Amino acid sequence: MKTQALAQIPETKHAGGPVARLSDVVKVYKEGDVEVSAIKGITFDIPRQRFSMIVGPSGSRKTTLLNLIGCIDKPTQGTIFVDGQDVGALNDNAISDFRAQRVGFIFQNFSLIPVLSAWENIEHPLMLLGVPAAERRERSTRMLEAVGLSQFA
């Protein structure tokens, strides 16, 4: 499979297509001679602009599936398109750029950098993306206001 850098990939035209499309996705974890089949050939779409949930009991591989869709892990087989991009075609640097630019996670735990303020925790990823300082200030403040936490700026 040929991989390419994200900078070389044109902006996708999704025109209402699914935000994620999984086709025949398999994920097998190997530890020595032991193989564990975590995901066994699933195919589905997650529609754009629709509230979607992945539910199931503990141990039903929800986190594995989210890690695949969120480009934290790669499938053993099959294809995953996120925002119209075949994420399996991206090299390691490009997949990191893709996650930074197009994927967001809301964790059950806070996953904040403890030595930074709430405002600085919002600003930090914007700084990594090269967003100018004035825009970082405005966006970080607006985000805190949107969730009623402006007193922590």
Side-chain angles (χ1 to χ4, degrees), residues 52-73:
S52 300
M53 298 182 291
I54 297 173
V55 296
S58 179
S60 63
R61 313 298 199 254
K62 298 179 301 289
T63 299
T64 300
L65 184 58
L66 290 172
N67 286 344
L68 291 168
I69 296 168
C71 309
I72 292 174
D73 205 354

Side-chain angles (χ1 to χ4, degrees), residues 95-115:
I95 202 71
S96 293
D97 291 343
F98 183 84
R99 272 194 315 268
Q101 295 169 13
R102 300 190 195 168
V103 177
F105 287 92
I106 300 173
F107 295 95
Q108 284 180 312
N109 58 2
F110 293 115
S111 296
L112 299 174
I113 301 171
V115 296

